[in-house]
Amino acid sequence: MLTFDTVVIGGGPAGLAAALSAHENGAKVLLVEREARLGGILKQCIHDGFGLVRFGEKLSGPEYAERFIDDFYKAGIAATTLTFVTRIENRNDAFFVTLVSREGVETVAAKTLVLATGCRERTAKQVSIHGTRPAGVFTAGTAQHLTNLLGELPTKTCVILGSGDIGLIMARRLTLEGAKVLGVYEAKPTPSGLTRNIHQCLHDYDIPLYLSHTVTRVFGDDRLSAVEISKVDEQMRPIAGTEQMVECDALILSVGLIPENELAETLGTELDRRTKGPVCNAQLMTSVDGVFSCGNALHVNDLVDYVSESGECAGKNAACYKPRPRTEIDIEASDRFGYIVPQRLDLNADNRKTVLYFRSRDVLNGCTLKMRLDGKEVFSKKYPFLRPPEMERLEMDFSSLPLTAASHLELDIEVKTNG
């Protein structure tokens, strides 16, 4: 049986960064990837905008991935592609990972694991769209794969449901390929994508955005022929009498991403109901000792630069991990937060450079983030605005705070009121 210090599961941007970081910190690493090539979803993201934070320049997805892939192969790190993880067993202070590949079934042992499994898209059935089951209903990622990698235009006239970033980017991409995008429909009263994508992908191409609208039914036998659009109320429930038919040959869904954490669940890791990813500490270690999580498997990121950053953090800490007792306290976030990651601090670990990622639950203007320790304010930062689609990054030094196992650490967002 082959034995490694760290096994990284997932060969996308998070997994590549984690494998490189673990290797640089002295670990013997194996990277496991289920597709034929490394790079993850970036292989089909041919638009630019990647790497602005990390490299200070606009790169396409393949260009960004290639920089890490080149470094990965130069480092001589072991990798296996077209390989699936079917079972992980935790026994005798080691993890035994069962792999299925073209060579057959084998088991490898590891001291630590890094879960960099990314996320998947919600489907039509998960957002309660009724009707027949015709061809022509695609997730935005599937449409992107067909268009950018296979060279197949999946539609001539389409409707896009959801204003997530992938949906906005595909609205522009399909328009450039000659398709007609009749509109982007969003059930929420505010857009779900980044502001720059709203302008660059919709406004610049005169593609209409309809807020507080959703698709409630699809029509068609062999191929989609029309969709039913309805207005929704404040609880995003369809309003009777507002239905309208829109003829089209495709429905593109951009209705959210869900972190892939089936493997994490089999290991018994605690999941956060808000992020749908594992609960972790500042070292990105989950509730199971020796298991780390990063990238979109931990929480859905806006920018790949932060995916790589979390991968490097997880990889470094996996390589340096030594079993020891944990004394953890919760980082409690008020209802004004959509979520915050990490959710805990290990007082026995190095917390001098802790990166917090968070989203607000609602659109907030003129607000201040405040951190309180046992009721006393210890940190504050003003923001001109916070929007749920735009993740915020905050670097903190928790070593300067008098934290104990009985400490109560909470974050809140206060909004300036008129008058």
Side-chain angles (χ1 to χ4, degrees):
M1 181 186 297
L2 293 175
T3 301
F4 298 88
D5 296 316
T6 301
V7 169
V8 179
I9 303 173
L16 287 165
L20 281 163
S21 180
H23 173 79
E24 289 165 2
N25 283 277
K28 180 183 178 184
V29 181
L30 172 66
L31 178 65
V32 181
E33 169 56 41
R34 65 185 178 187
E35 294 189 3
R37 293 188 296 140
L38 302 179
I41 197 66
L42 292 181
K43 297 191 296 291
Q44 65 188 50
C45 299
I46 65 172
H47 53 280
D48 67 5
F50 300 91
L52 285 170
V53 175
R54 188 179 191 89
F55 299 114
E57 59 181 307
K58 288 184 178 181
L59 301 172
S60 68
E63 287 174 321
Y64 184 95
E66 200 65 32
R67 296 196 178 190
F68 285 86
I69 293 170
D70 288 345
D71 291 342
F72 179 88
Y73 285 122
K74 285 177 185 175
I77 302 170
T80 176
T81 56
L82 288 174
T83 302
F84 291 81
V85 176
T86 59
R87 180 188 301 173
I88 304 176
E89 294 180 276
N90 184 1
R91 62 178 189 269
N92 302 325
D93 296 322
F95 298 97
F96 295 88
V97 184
T98 302
L99 307 176
V100 177
S101 67
R102 290 165 294 181
E103 280 70 43
V105 181
E106 66 174 324
T107 300
V108 299
K111 297 177 183 176
T112 58
L113 298 176
V114 178
L115 304 178
T117 47
C119 56
R120 65 176 182 270
E121 297 176 281
R122 283 193 176 91
T123 65
K125 296 304 178 185
Q126 289 176 291
V127 291
S128 302
I129 296 177
H130 304 289
T132 55
R133 299 184 64 184
V137 180
F138 306 98
T139 63
T142 299
Q144 188 179 59
H145 179 85
L146 290 168
T147 306
N148 294 347
L149 291 185
L150 302 185
E152 299 286 347
L153 187 62
T155 178
K156 294 181 180 178
T157 306
C158 70
V159 161
I160 295 180
L161 176 61
S163 58
D165 289 313
I166 306 176
L168 299 176
I169 288 164
M170 283 311 297
R172 176 180 63 186
R173 184 77 182 99
L174 292 170
T175 300
L176 290 172
E177 288 297 332
K180 176 66 176 176
V181 179
L182 299 175
V184 174
Y185 294 85
E186 171 59 59
K188 297 176 183 177
T190 55
S192 297
L194 295 173
T195 301
R196 74 181 189 197
N197 285 332
I198 297 291
H199 287 277
Q200 295 175 2
C201 300
L202 299 188
H203 296 172
D204 290 354
Y205 293 88
D206 296 323
I207 299 171
L209 172 63
Y210 301 95
L211 299 175
S212 298
H213 284 75
T214 191
V215 174
T216 48
R217 187 174 295 273
V218 297
F219 300 91
D221 296 323
D222 295 332
R223 179 79 189 197
L224 183 75
S225 59
V227 296
E228 179 186 84
I229 306 287
S230 300
K231 291 182 181 180
V232 299
D233 59 19
E234 291 81 1
Q235 284 73 45
M236 292 190 289
R237 295 175 302 197
I239 301 172
T242 62
E243 303 88 350
Q244 58 174 313
M245 292 277 289
V246 177
E247 293 185 359
C248 57
D249 65 9
L251 171 64
I252 312 293
L253 301 169
S254 179
V255 289
L257 301 169
I258 304 171
E260 289 267 21
N261 278 303
E262 285 74 16
L263 289 175
E265 288 185 278
T266 64
L267 287 165
T269 61
E270 180 185 351
L271 298 185
D272 186 322
R273 63 178 178 80
R274 295 170 296 180
T275 64
K276 305 297 188 295
V279 172
C280 65
N281 59 27
Q283 289 67 46
L284 300 188
M285 186 159 67
T286 69
S287 58
V288 177
D289 289 343
V291 178
F292 298 78
S293 180
C294 58
N296 285 347
L298 179 59
H299 65 111
V300 178
N301 291 252
D302 301 337
L303 304 178
V304 71
D305 310 73
Y306 297 145
V307 167
S308 299
E309 181 180 48
S310 69
E312 288 171 337
C313 177
K316 175 184 176 181
N317 288 302
C320 300
Y321 172 74
K322 289 180 174 57
R324 55 172 172 72
R326 286 200 262 178
T327 302
E328 294 187 337
I329 62 171
D330 291 332
I331 301 176
E332 299 181 20
S334 73
D335 291 341
R336 289 194 182 275
F337 287 86
Y339 70 77
I340 189 164
V341 173
Q343 298 90 343
R344 292 177 181 154
L345 284 179
D346 181 2
L347 303 187
N348 298 333
D350 182 0
N351 298 312
R352 285 176 295 179
K353 187 180 177 182
T354 299
V355 178
L356 300 176
Y357 303 100
F358 70 90
R359 296 180 192 271
S360 64
R361 190 184 66 180
D362 304 304
V363 176
L364 303 174
N365 295 311
C367 49
T368 304
L369 181 147
K370 294 194 174 183
M371 181 181 295
R372 296 183 179 90
L373 177 60
D374 298 325
K376 180 182 177 182
E377 184 178 314
V378 293
F379 176 82
S380 67
K381 181 178 180 180
K382 292 184 178 180
Y383 291 89
F385 61 87
L386 293 171
R387 298 180 63 242
E390 297 174 5
M391 188 186 76
E392 299 291 336
R393 178 188 183 277
L394 180 65
E395 192 169 312
M396 294 290 300
D397 179 4
F398 285 104
S399 66
S400 60
L401 298 179
L403 297 170
T404 68
S407 294
H408 185 60
L409 187 65
E410 57 181 340
L411 277 76
D412 193 15
I413 302 172
E414 295 185 358
V415 180
K416 181 167 57 178
T417 58
N418 294 327

